[in-house]
Amino acid sequence: MDANITDIPLPPFYNFYFLPGLHGYIVAIFVAGLVTFISKVFNIPHQIPSAFSGIIIGLAARYIGYFEELVMDGHLLQSVYIPLLIAKIVYNMDHYLLKKSLIQIFIVSVIGNTAFVFAFGMILSLFQKRDVPMLNVMIISVMVAPNDNPELQISDGIKNLETLMYGETILGVAVCNVARLIFTGVIHMHIVEWYQGIALIIRYFGFCIPIGFGCGLGMSLLFRELYNDSMNAVATYISAAYFVYILCEHFAFTNGTLGTFITLYMMTAQRTKFLSKTDDEVKLCCNVGFALVHTLLSIFCIADSVYWVKEYLPVSLLEAIAVYIMGNVIRLIIFLLASPLLSRIGYGFEFASLVTLFWAVQKGPLQMIQVFKLHSDPGEFQILESLNFYVVIYVILTSIVNGTTLKVFLKAFGLIKLSNRRKANISIAVTNLNAIGSKVLTSLKGNRFYSDVNWAVINTHIVLRNPYEDLSTLWTKDNVICHVCNAAVPLKPTRDEYNEHLKDVTIRTLKAQRVSFLEQHELGLLSKQDVGILLEAIDIAMDSTNMTINMDALLSCMDSNKAFVVTKRVRKILTIDSSIKIPRTVHRRKCYKITNSLSFELVVCVIVLIDVAGQIIRLCADYSPVIEACLLTIASLCFICYIAEAALRIVSFSNGSLRNDIKYYIRNIWNQIDVFVITISIINLLLSTSCKYDSKDYTECKYRHCIKFLMCFKLLRVFSKLYPIYIAKMERRNELKLMRAFGVAQGIVTSCDEVINMLPTLTEQSNIRAVIKINLEQIRATITQKMGMLEKARPSLTTTIKTKQSLRCVLKHLNHGIRELRASGLIDSFEFQKLNRSVSLKTKFLSNVQILEVIPPTLIFQEIAWLYNEDEVLEYIYSNVKNQIFNAGDILCEPGDYLEGIYIIVAGYFKVTYYPTPRLIERLQANGELPCKEFLEYLRFDEVHEDYLSCGNRMGELALLTNRPHRCSIISEAPSQVFIIPKEVLDRAKDLSPDPAIGVTARIWKCVAYSLSRRLLLTTTAYQSTSKQEADYALIRSVIPNTDYYNVINLPPVVEDVLLIEGIIVDFNTRDIYIAPCPLPRHVRKLLMPKGDLIARKVSTKLMFIPDSNTDEYEMMLTVQKDSELMDEPECTLLTEQMNRHRRFESHLFSFNKPKSHKVMSTTGGVFYHTE
């Protein structure tokens, strides 16, 4: 077998005969793309069209002999394929699942692959045709061992299995590569000692980690800045994969697979900062690019197998099939042996998981690339020629048989079966979608253009049918309609069904909280670090047993001051006595300044170190008169310096006689140490003069000088200067920790509020809604109480947090506005860059904001939204306000009490509990009478609510506007101070600003109803597909005028939306009655006020009018007043054409957005009702 390398038959990769040169590659890529397209369109496994194409190419390569040669290099293919494989896997991998499954991955990849290599190598050696060394057979076994591109249909039951197989692929490739290097090194006598193999392993796994980590730090910073640029993000991501792999493999000669994985893992950790569109596009590009390359190489793998089959049929083919079967049996046995350990770590390991991991193994281009690498060694290729055939058949059978039948195995074990909770989720989604469709249909019916539409046809075709509408899956509802008698039959799920649905709703609740955190981050209410912490907490909660966010770390962080207080106590011991006064004379004051500086202490420390170093030299060196003379000189100079230092300090402490100077000097502990050092220096000098260094007692004499080492205590004095710096840094660190905890806590409170309002859409079963609601309200109440306590203890800290959050929120809106201007074409690229740069300068200021002072009471009044630009009203109210102090536990009011006025919290915090009554709910449902409470953003008026109000919040506004009793219990939780605006003062303020549309009364109504109207507006069809920011912009333009003097209200086209805040309104045309709180449909354009015989008015009707974006609010109300039917009222109650008043109103509206963003951050719960 000494044939020349040219006599060895070349596989199709070496003779791709269709077209010469580069055209062959183009045709191959086209075929790969066509195969990928066919598999996607017809929903068939891509292995089938790949096999068909590969067979055609293999037969053509064998029987058509006039094509030109196309040589492929195995090393080049590996450098192309593996980085792309890692890039695809890492971007599709769940990071948290990877961390949880890390030990399982290590066992399966390292121990499992090692066992497979030796077991499969022994089986393979039985089928060899010639006397092949065992190490050469092991190389073939190493080539087969790693997994290649695992593919599982994503489902709840196998998502963790897919992550486990992803990790097995990456770590398995790394382990098998180093094993192949060791076997090859032993064969070629490069490794002859055991420690050489250990050194190879250390180099291969040790050097790649710092390279991958270093590259990951730089690449992740660049990758994070491309959060909205998908094309550059794809280019950066793929380029980083190839750069790190080539750097590790070809320059550092280390593990490129592991180094590339570390870099890409750090880069993909920045995906949380990406826009959802950018993230989807990057993921799509990675998957499509890898699919093309994988399909291309798979085709050539199959073509290669067809090429080899002719030489070894039929006996060799049967042996290869036997090898394939034995390989799968070996993998199954390894998993069976490891299952007791794997089932007790990570996510566990059931029998279904075992079968999935056993059968889901994929072999493909990764193995064939190793075959091509053997072609570079003709001798080794000839030795392993017959065994390569088994590898090829093993790969093709694994790809076709396992790949095409994997779905059957998954279905057989129920891993991709649609669970009952998913069916219930689809049922709820269908119900909500049908409700949305009916709302849209109702709005279309109000359009005159569609008056002749066949609505019956539309009603038939817009209703979505639930494909899982049967009795086995409807246990998510409280009742089901009997198809026979049309009666509501109560459903009682079994315990297992109930637990399964509760688990599903809990998971959906956590996902809804995740969405809420991301939305808050997009609005600037949460920083990147805060949202990262919260997202990680969600991942941990979804993996925990009780599926709740662990609050222990957050609550302990908000109380972490114990160790810090202890360090402050030590400070008193280490600092100079504060009773010592600064000297009065100039020269002594200069001495005081010098001795109390850090530079002076550092100079003294250097002198002490020089003195001690001399003694060390004396101990280490032999006797020399020159050395001893030098050391004695140094000791004398140091002694003089100590005396001079003591004199300076005595002078710096002097304010009188020398006796008092020495008294003050000795009082400090550090000066006592100085006296001790001077004494030691004197003793050392005496010893130096008494010892005879030329005698035999030199050794004894030089050891007497060791007493000088006690002078090192003087070095501790520098800590008296460094300790205040340490304390300041600790204070700053503690403040940052508390600020982060406060921001995270606020995000959780906001998400709890949003999810509680979303519960009816998450499940239709009332019992499960009640359980989830109780858990969320407990979390919310606990955190809100801690936040109130923190606001009381550290008011300046919370003021800083809210200020930074408000500033970040405004800057986010500015960036959004700049992008909208650019998208609409109103500014060009140059202007866009200029505006972005100006906003970036403001963002830099945000990162440098230090602790701010607490807002004084005067500014608290100026920040009240309904007093903006009302200088006369503001001055009058502030001059007539009352001040009242509450101790902890004092009751401000009970349900049913009438409040004295509007309460403004200046310091402290209050606990507010709302107690609904049947009478109260009856009035709300019958007359639209709002309960007088402090947090109207909650639409659940029939449930008990508990909240905390802190500095800057107001209480009692709605109660004073309506002259109704308060429905909440308000208790002071800490010593608190409030300002009270009495009712008579507020009535006088209304007279000073009487405008029915923009006066004080209208403004207070707008502030009170803002959060409620926001909830209502987001339920309308027009705003369901828009962002919350658009709803905020619309509400800023809104007004709540006094409509008591209207009989009939005609809504002109300039009125875009109308919200019924309180009371009852009637549609003039259809006589439909609307009860507050609710949005009015847009087709309702004529309103009848509840007066007369049609319907009695129980409460005053309050409507919020929202104009279109091109109309001014005051002009809108003038148009409404002009077109409507009015009662006979005095002229003072009507709107007028006062343009100066109108301009004043415009400036108020312009500034109204500023307090809004401050209020966003200045309240919690009912206090945080603008947090979205």
Side-chain angles (χ1 to χ4, degrees):
M1 299 299 293
D2 296 332
N4 195 299
I5 185 61
T6 57
D7 298 332
I8 301 174
L10 297 176
F13 258 121
Y14 284 79
N15 295 281
F16 182 66
Y17 304 103
F18 287 105
L19 289 174
L22 184 61
H23 295 170
Y25 291 102
I26 298 175
V27 172
I29 294 173
F30 173 75
V31 172
L34 183 62
V35 168
T36 304
F37 175 76
I38 292 173
S39 62
K40 293 294 183 182
V41 170
F42 295 99
N43 195 22
I44 59 177
H46 68 86
Q47 291 88 350
I48 295 177
S50 299
F52 181 74
S53 303
I55 291 172
I56 294 178
I57 295 175
L59 293 175
R62 172 59 62 184
Y63 296 107
I64 303 177
Y66 56 88
F67 301 107
E68 294 187 3
E69 182 179 346
L70 180 64
V71 179
M72 302 295 291
D73 183 10
H75 295 280
L76 177 62
L77 289 176
Q78 177 173 306
S79 299
V80 171
Y81 181 72
I82 292 183
L84 200 58
L85 171 65
I86 299 173
K88 180 255 184 183
I89 287 177
V90 174
Y91 209 88
N92 288 272
M93 181 186 294
D94 190 301
H95 286 196
Y96 179 73
L97 296 180
L98 175 67
K99 297 176 183 177
K100 185 72 174 179
S101 307
L102 201 57
I103 300 178
Q104 288 181 320
I105 292 172
F106 179 82
I107 294 174
V108 172
S109 303
V110 179
I111 302 177
N113 280 330
T114 303
F116 180 87
V117 165
F118 286 99
F120 187 76
M122 296 177 63
I123 295 297
L124 198 62
S125 64
L126 301 177
F127 295 93
Q128 58 185 350
K129 298 292 191 303
R130 64 188 71 174
D131 188 12
V132 180
M134 193 62 185
L135 288 177
N136 296 80
V137 179
M138 287 299 174
I139 292 178
I140 298 296
S141 182
V142 167
M143 292 163 50
V144 177
N147 197 5
D148 182 16
N149 186 32
E151 293 181 357
L152 293 176
Q153 290 79 5
I154 291 298
S155 178
D156 290 339
I158 59 177
K159 187 175 181 181
N160 61 309
L161 297 182
E162 184 181 53
T163 303
L164 179 58
M165 296 193 69
Y166 280 156
E168 179 194 0
T169 298
I170 294 176
L171 191 55
V173 171
V175 171
C176 291
N177 282 342
V178 72
R180 185 176 184 275
L181 288 176
I182 291 175
F183 290 146
T184 305
V186 173
I187 291 173
H188 294 284
M189 301 300 292
H190 299 309
I191 298 177
V192 294
E193 298 290 343
W194 63 270
Y195 58 84
Q196 293 176 331
I198 300 297
L200 177 63
I201 295 174
I202 294 174
R203 188 200 74 191
Y204 206 68
F205 287 103
F207 291 175
C208 66
I209 295 176
I211 293 176
F213 184 77
C215 294
L217 288 177
M219 295 293 183
S220 59
L221 294 176
L222 177 61
F223 198 58
R224 181 174 56 189
E225 299 300 325
L226 302 174
Y227 65 94
N228 59 350
D229 191 348
S230 56
M231 296 306 298
N232 284 330
V234 171
T236 303
Y237 184 69
I238 301 299
S239 301
Y242 283 105
F243 170 77
V244 178
Y245 185 83
I246 294 173
L247 176 64
C248 292
E249 289 284 343
H250 301 287
F251 292 93
F253 302 104
T254 184
N255 194 337
T257 303
L258 196 57
T260 306
F261 168 74
I262 294 173
T263 299
L264 298 186
Y265 181 86
M266 296 177 66
M267 293 178 65
T268 52
Q270 307 298 326
R271 289 175 59 187
T272 55
K273 283 83 174 178
F274 276 28
L275 301 178
S276 58
K277 180 181 178 181
T278 305
D279 186 45
D280 294 339
E281 290 177 351
V282 174
K283 185 176 181 180
L284 178 63
C285 290
C286 291
N287 292 339
V288 170
F290 176 78
L292 288 174
V293 174
H294 183 269
T295 304
L296 174 64
L297 296 180
S298 299
I299 292 173
F300 285 118
C301 290
I302 298 173
D304 187 51
S305 66
V306 172
Y307 183 87
W308 284 103
V309 162
K310 180 181 177 182
E311 295 292 333
Y312 295 97
L313 281 177
V315 178
S316 298
L317 182 58
L318 295 176
E319 293 176 352
I321 294 175
V323 171
Y324 161 74
I325 295 174
M326 293 304 298
N328 284 294
V329 172
I330 291 172
R331 182 175 175 87
L332 177 60
I333 293 174
I334 291 173
F335 277 113
L336 286 174
L337 295 176
S339 58
L341 180 59
L342 294 175
S343 61
R344 288 170 172 79
I345 56 178
Y347 285 94
F349 201 74
E350 300 176 352
F351 182 75
S353 304
L354 184 147
V355 175
T356 301
L357 291 178
F358 146 68
W359 194 251
V361 60
Q362 292 289 318
K363 310 294 180 183
L366 191 61
Q367 283 69 32
M368 288 304 303
I369 288 173
Q370 304 302 322
V371 174
F372 299 141
K373 290 174 67 176
L374 290 179
H375 295 162
S376 60
D377 189 345
E380 189 172 343
F381 178 78
Q382 290 178 356
I383 295 174
L384 303 177
E385 179 180 355
S386 60
L387 297 180
N388 283 339
F389 170 72
Y390 298 132
V391 174
V392 171
I393 299 302
Y394 186 93
V395 169
I396 187 62
L397 290 178
T398 305
S399 179
I400 294 179
V401 177
N402 294 43
T404 56
T405 60
L406 176 61
K407 193 173 182 180
V408 177
F409 273 79
L410 295 177
K411 285 185 176 180
F413 289 95
L415 293 176
I416 59 174
K417 180 182 177 182
L418 199 64
S419 62
N420 286 337
R421 59 185 183 183
R422 284 196 174 272
K423 294 178 182 179
N425 195 17
I426 293 176
S427 175
I428 296 173
V430 169
T431 303
N432 294 330
L433 290 174
N434 286 331
I436 293 174
S438 63
K439 290 180 181 179
V440 176
L441 185 62
T442 303
S443 64
L444 288 175
K445 288 180 179 180
N447 194 329
R448 294 178 298 173
F449 180 76
Y450 299 108
S451 57
D452 57 345
V453 171
N454 191 338
W455 300 111
V457 175
I458 297 178
N459 288 326
T460 304
H461 290 84
I462 67 171
V463 178
L464 299 178
R465 179 182 174 274
N466 182 9
Y468 304 102
E469 188 85 18
D470 52 37
L471 291 177
S472 62
T473 60
L474 284 182
W475 47 264
T476 57
K477 299 181 180 180
D478 291 331
N479 300 294
V480 65
I481 304 299
C482 179
H483 298 288
V484 179
C485 60
N486 292 329
V489 179
L491 287 177
K492 294 184 178 180
T494 64
R495 180 178 296 273
D496 293 339
E497 290 175 337
Y498 177 83
N499 293 334
E500 182 182 2
H501 186 53
L502 178 61
K503 180 180 178 181
D504 176 61
V505 176
T506 306
I507 291 175
R508 275 181 269 167
T509 301
L510 293 173
K511 291 180 179 179
Q513 286 185 284
R514 178 195 291 270
V515 174
S516 174
F517 296 149
L518 293 174
E519 287 181 352
Q520 293 179 60
H521 174 59
E522 290 295 327
L523 293 176
L525 305 182
L526 286 176
S527 64
K528 295 179 181 179
Q529 294 80 6
D530 294 344
V531 76
I533 294 172
L534 290 169
L535 293 179
E536 184 176 358
I538 289 292
D539 292 335
I540 296 174
M542 294 181 69
D543 187 52
S544 62
T545 305
N546 54 2
M547 291 189 179
T548 56
I549 299 177
N550 187 7
M551 298 298 167
D552 295 338
L554 177 63
L555 298 179
S556 62
C557 180
M558 299 178 75
D559 291 335
S560 59
N561 289 320
K562 297 180 180 179
F564 187 65
V565 171
V566 174
T567 57
K568 280 190 173 181
R569 293 174 182 172
V570 181
R571 184 178 184 178
K572 296 181 179 179
I573 303 175
L574 300 179
T575 53
I576 299 175
D577 191 355
S578 58
S579 62
I580 300 175
K581 299 180 181 180
I582 300 177
R584 293 186 294 269
T585 59
V586 177
H587 66 282
R588 292 188 175 184
R589 190 173 298 172
K590 290 181 180 180
C591 294
Y592 179 85
K593 184 177 180 181
I594 292 172
T595 55
N596 281 277
S597 64
L598 180 61
S599 301
F600 181 79
E601 298 295 343
L602 293 176
V603 170
V604 173
C605 288
V606 171
I607 295 173
V608 173
L609 291 174
I610 293 173
D611 199 1
V612 174
Q615 177 58 27
I616 295 175
I617 294 173
R618 178 180 283 116
L619 289 175
C620 298
D622 295 331
Y623 171 73
S624 173
V626 177
I627 295 177
E628 288 301 329
C630 294
L631 293 179
L632 182 60
T633 304
I634 292 174
S636 302
L637 293 176
C638 291
F639 175 73
I640 295 173
C641 292
Y642 300 149
I643 297 298
E645 177 202 359
L648 280 174
R649 294 190 186 278
I650 291 175
V651 172
S652 64
F653 283 94
S654 174
N655 270 313
S657 62
L658 180 61
R659 181 179 179 182
N660 290 333
D661 296 347
I662 297 175
K663 177 182 177 181
Y664 284 121
Y665 175 78
I666 297 298
R667 181 183 299 179
N668 185 263
I669 186 173
W670 296 112
N671 295 335
Q672 296 172 10
I673 294 177
D674 289 346
V675 174
F676 176 71
V677 169
I678 292 174
T679 305
I680 292 176
S681 299
I682 295 173
I683 295 173
N684 181 71
L685 290 176
L686 293 176
L687 290 174
S688 299
T689 56
S690 63
C691 289
K692 298 179 181 180
Y693 296 105
D694 55 350
S695 65
K696 297 180 180 180
D697 298 332
Y698 172 72
T699 303
E700 180 182 354
C701 291
K702 68 178 182 180
Y703 280 109
R704 294 176 185 174
H705 290 278
C706 291
I707 193 175
K708 184 175 288 190
F709 288 121
L710 297 176
M711 299 174 62
C712 293
F713 285 106
K714 188 175 178 63
L715 298 175
L716 298 176
R717 179 159 190 158
V718 74
F719 290 104
S720 65
K721 301 298 181 182
L722 295 178
Y723 197 78
I725 301 175
Y726 166 75
I727 289 293
K729 289 186 178 296
M730 288 294 296
E731 287 179 350
R732 179 59 180 166
R733 182 179 179 183
N734 191 62
E735 289 169 353
L736 293 176
K737 189 176 181 180
L738 291 175
M739 291 170 66
R740 177 134 322 148
F742 192 89
V744 170
Q746 181 184 347
I748 295 176
V749 169
T750 304
S751 67
C752 289
D753 293 337
E754 293 181 352
V755 173
I756 289 174
N757 292 319
M758 292 172 56
L759 282 178
T761 63
L762 296 179
T763 180
E764 298 179 1
Q765 196 173 49
S766 58
N767 294 337
I768 292 180
R769 282 204 306 266
V771 172
I772 300 295
K773 175 177 171 294
I774 290 173
N775 292 335
L776 292 175
E777 287 186 341
Q778 287 178 350
I779 293 173
R780 182 183 175 280
T782 303
I783 295 180
T784 306
Q785 183 180 13
K786 285 290 184 181
M787 295 174 67
M789 295 172 62
L790 184 59
E791 285 191 89
K792 174 64 178 176
R794 307 288 292 272
S796 59
L797 187 68
T798 55
T799 299
T800 305
I801 299 170
K802 297 169 187 177
T803 304
K804 293 180 68 173
Q805 289 176 332
S806 302
L807 181 58
R808 190 187 303 114
C809 180
V810 175
L811 293 176
K812 284 278 188 178
H813 283 71
L814 290 179
N815 281 322
H816 177 73
I818 294 173
R819 288 194 297 268
E820 285 189 345
L821 292 175
R822 180 68 179 93
S824 60
L826 297 179
I827 59 175
D828 56 18
S829 300
F830 177 78
E831 296 166 337
F832 176 76
Q833 294 176 0
K834 286 288 186 182
L835 293 174
N836 262 338
R837 190 177 296 111
S838 63
V839 175
S840 300
L841 294 177
K842 302 295 182 181
T843 307
K844 291 181 180 179
F845 168 76
L846 175 63
S847 60
N848 297 326
V849 173
Q850 301 297 326
I851 301 299
L852 303 176
E853 297 181 357
V854 181
I855 302 177
T858 307
L859 291 181
I860 292 179
F861 265 86
Q862 293 178 1
E863 292 295 322
I864 298 177
W866 45 269
L867 289 179
Y868 264 105
N869 292 320
E870 291 285 355
D871 298 335
E872 183 181 359
V873 177
L874 175 63
E875 183 179 355
Y876 172 74
I877 292 178
Y878 189 70
S879 60
N880 292 275
V881 74
K882 295 181 179 180
N883 185 20
Q884 188 170 353
I885 304 296
F886 291 90
N887 295 321
D890 289 351
I891 298 176
L892 190 147
C893 80
E894 293 285 356
D897 293 348
Y898 286 88
L899 296 182
E900 180 183 353
I902 296 177
Y903 292 78
I904 303 173
I905 303 176
V906 178
Y909 67 103
F910 291 81
K911 179 181 179 181
V912 182
T913 308
Y914 164 68
Y915 297 99
T917 61
R919 176 69 172 168
L920 193 66
I921 302 304
E922 181 183 352
R923 288 182 180 179
L924 175 64
Q925 296 175 350
N927 306 320
E929 180 180 322
L930 291 176
C932 293
K933 60 175 188 173
E934 305 306 332
F935 25 88
L936 286 177
E937 72 274 17
Y938 303 116
L939 301 180
R940 308 177 307 278
F941 295 100
D942 57 341
E943 300 175 359
V944 177
H945 297 308
E946 184 178 290
D947 219 320
Y948 292 86
L949 303 181
S950 59
C951 178
N953 296 125
R954 301 181 299 275
M955 301 177 290
E957 291 173 322
L958 183 59
L960 252 65
L961 287 173
T962 58
N963 293 320
R964 296 198 294 263
H966 209 279
R967 296 300 176 182
C968 294
S969 170
I970 305 177
I971 302 175
S972 176
E973 289 290 303
S976 306
Q977 178 185 3
V978 297
F979 286 163
I980 305 175
I981 304 176
K983 184 178 183 302
E984 56 273 13
V985 175
L986 187 63
D987 293 337
R988 174 56 182 162
K990 294 178 182 178
D991 297 335
L992 296 176
S993 181
D995 194 288
I998 59 174
V1000 169
T1001 303
R1003 293 185 182 186
I1004 297 177
W1005 265 109
K1006 182 175 179 179
C1007 292
V1008 169
Y1010 188 89
S1011 56
L1012 174 64
S1013 58
R1014 190 172 187 268
R1015 299 283 186 188
L1016 296 176
L1017 191 62
L1018 290 174
T1019 61
T1020 60
T1021 306
Y1023 288 92
Q1024 282 183 345
S1025 58
T1026 60
S1027 63
K1028 296 179 181 179
Q1029 182 181 348
E1030 298 296 330
D1032 290 333
Y1033 290 159
L1035 292 176
I1036 290 173
R1037 304 192 308 268
S1038 65
V1039 291
I1040 304 181
N1042 182 11
T1043 56
D1044 292 341
Y1045 55 90
Y1046 284 82
N1047 282 330
V1048 178
I1049 301 177
N1050 287 310
L1051 301 178
V1054 296
V1055 179
E1056 190 173 61
D1057 287 288
V1058 179
L1059 304 178
L1060 180 58
I1061 304 300
E1062 186 176 54
I1064 300 175
I1065 202 71
V1066 182
D1067 186 351
F1068 186 87
N1069 297 322
T1070 63
R1071 290 303 192 265
D1072 292 337
I1073 300 175
Y1074 298 93
I1075 302 176
C1078 68
L1080 299 183
R1082 287 192 173 183
H1083 66 267
V1084 178
R1085 308 308 295 177
K1086 193 171 185 179
L1087 304 175
L1088 178 64
M1089 298 297 292
K1091 299 174 182 178
D1093 299 332
L1094 179 63
I1095 184 171
R1097 186 181 73 168
K1098 301 294 183 180
V1099 295
S1100 177
T1101 300
K1102 291 298 177 182
L1103 297 169
M1104 175 178 282
F1105 296 90
I1106 302 175
D1108 57 31
S1109 57
N1110 299 321
T1111 305
D1112 184 83
E1113 298 86 334
Y1114 206 81
E1115 292 178 357
M1116 174 194 67
M1117 291 311 304
L1118 288 173
T1119 306
V1120 171
Q1121 178 178 281
K1122 181 179 179 181
D1123 296 343
S1124 302
E1125 298 179 12
L1126 307 177
M1127 299 174 58
D1128 296 332
E1129 290 287 333
E1131 291 295 328
C1132 62
T1133 62
L1134 302 180
L1135 303 176
T1136 60
E1137 297 284 353
Q1138 299 176 3
M1139 298 308 297
N1140 57 345
R1141 179 73 172 175
H1142 187 194
R1143 288 193 297 270
R1144 190 176 177 187
F1145 178 55
E1146 286 181 336
S1147 62
H1148 154 69
L1149 287 179
F1150 177 78
S1151 60
F1152 186 78
N1153 193 23
K1154 182 173 66 175
K1156 169 187 172 295
S1157 34
H1158 174 70
K1159 299 252 183 288
V1160 168
M1161 309 332 294
S1162 65
T1163 53
T1164 39
V1167 193
F1168 284 127
Y1169 53 80
H1170 292 318
T1171 44
E1172 295 86 0

